[in-house]
Amino acid sequence: MKKFMKNCYKCNTEVKITTTEKEGIKLNCLKCPNCGEEYFTSSELTKFDILKGKKQLIRKFGTLGDSTVMRFPTNILKDFNIKPGDYGVFEKKPEGILIKPVHSKDIKL
Ligand SMILES: [Zn+2]
């Protein structure tokens, strides 16, 4: 694990790399030896949410034949009014993949 910060935000003591247990799940963290404050990376928190089944907006990559597929959360489809036959434009962003929906009814051939 990379030390993503040097000193505790609360008391300015140098933090140490360690692990902690949160609701039975072992997580890497940085801990302040003085005040006990724990700092997590977002990927550790995502790991926690996945293992706890907490996140509604996490999906697992699967395979279908030779393709890699992912199911969409229903509320995303609803909120963006995505229907079968619509398109998704993938954009590579520094923080991940953005999918821009394009409705087939908006495309005039
Ligand atoms: Zn501290």
Side-chain angles (χ1 to χ4, degrees):
M1 181 187 177
K2 221 169 79 187
K3 211 166 171 181
F4 55 90
M5 56 186 283
K6 201 171 182 296
N7 294 324
C8 177
Y9 292 138
K10 285 193 172 169
C11 69
N12 211 33
T13 306
E14 194 177 338
V15 292
K16 301 256 180 279
I17 298 172
T18 185
T19 56
T20 190
E21 210 172 287
K22 195 179 165 199
E23 294 174 44
I25 290 168
K26 209 172 141 189
L27 297 172
N28 296 310
C29 72
L30 297 177
K31 190 168 182 163
C32 172
N34 183 45
C35 73
E37 188 67 21
E38 293 171 337
Y39 299 94
F40 300 93
T41 59
S42 62
S43 62
E44 281 304 295
L45 293 173
T46 301
K47 183 174 101 183
F48 177 79
D49 287 339
I50 291 171
L51 293 173
K52 278 305 214 183
K54 276 190 177 170
K55 263 203 169 150
Q56 302 294 310
L57 294 180
I58 291 177
R59 288 295 180 271
K60 198 173 185 174
F61 289 98
T63 48
L64 185 69
D66 294 333
S67 300
T68 300
V69 295
M70 184 180 281
R71 293 171 198 275
F72 269 72
T74 315
N75 62 336
I76 295 281
L77 297 177
K78 222 175 121 190
D79 289 353
F80 288 87
N81 196 26
I82 298 168
K83 303 242 180 330
D86 286 349
Y87 299 87
V89 181
F90 287 75
E91 280 183 23
K92 293 184 218 168
K93 297 278 178 184
E95 62 272 35
I97 307 160
L98 173 72
I99 303 172
K100 282 189 177 171
V102 178
H103 302 292
S104 56
K105 63 176 171 57
D106 296 334
I107 300 173
K108 310 242 186 305
L109 293 173

